[in-house]
Amino acid sequence: MKKKIIIKSAELFLNLGFKSVTMDDIANEMGISKKTIYQYFETKTKLIEATAIYKFECISESIDAIFNLNANPIDELFKIKEFITNYMSNQKKSPEFQLKKYYPRIHTILKQKQFEVMQGCVSGNLDRGIAAGLYRDNLNVEFISRIYFNSMGALKDHEIFPENQFSLEDLLDNYLEYHLRGICTPLGVTLLNKKNTLINYK
C-alpha cells in the first residue's frame, strides 16, 4: 500500500503541483481513507519527500540503463539528452521549482542526490571518452563534471532562459553541442559531425 500511495501521489503532484494537491485529493483518487495515508506518512511533507526521492530513483534507473548499453561516450550523451527532453516535456508543472519555493529542505536533499549521481555519470563518460580517444586527454574531469551539473541546472532557470525565447529541446541541443565541442579530439569532432548530419537528415 505504501508504494501505491507514493506512485499515485507522485502522479498527482507532478500533474497538479505539490502545493495544490491535498491529502484528501490523494485519498479520494485512491478510494481509501486519509487515515490510511497517515499510517504510512505522518505529514504531507514526508509524503512529498518520499515521492520526490521515488521519482529521482526512477530517473536514475533509466539513466543507468542508458549507460549499461555500452554505447560510445558521444552517443551516450545524445541518448541521455533524448531521455531528459522526453521526460521534462511530459511534465505539466516544474517540480524542482515548486520544491525550491515551498519545500526548500527537500529540494536541498534532492539536489545533493542529483549532484552525486550526475557527477558519477559525467565523470564516467569523460573517462571512457578519453580512453577511446574521443575526448582530449588533458581534461580536468572533476572540474568539467561539476560545470556540467551546474550548467544543466541553469538551463531550467526561466529567468535566465525565458520559455518564450528558448525551447527545452533547443537548450539541451545547444548545450550538448557546446559541451562536446569543448572536450572532443579531432576524432571526436568527426564522430560528432557525423552524428549531427544523421540527426539533421532525419
Side-chain angles (χ1 to χ4, degrees), residues 158-170:
H158 297 317
E159 291 185 5
I160 300 175
F161 298 105
E163 290 179 283
N164 61 344
Q165 288 183 248
F166 303 93
S167 72
L168 172 66
E169 187 170 4
D170 284 344

Side-chain angles (χ1 to χ4, degrees), residues 91-117:
Q91 291 182 350
K92 296 180 181 178
K93 300 283 183 177
S94 173
E96 191 163 344
F97 172 79
Q98 293 174 53
L99 285 178
K100 186 176 182 179
K101 183 175 181 180
Y102 301 116
Y103 303 94
R105 184 187 66 82
I106 299 173
H107 178 265
T108 299
I109 292 172
L110 205 59
K111 188 173 181 179
Q112 181 59 36
K113 287 180 175 290
Q114 289 171 342
F115 172 71
E116 291 169 359
V117 169

Side-chain angles (χ1 to χ4, degrees), residues 8-9 14 30-31 69 84 94 96 98 108 117 138 151 154 160 166 196 199:
K8 174 54 70 173
S9 299
L14 292 178
M30 296 188 68
L69 294 174
I84 292 173
S94 173
E96 191 163 344
Q98 293 174 53
T108 299
V117 169
N138 62 342
S151 297
I160 300 175
F166 303 93
N196 286 334
I199 291 172

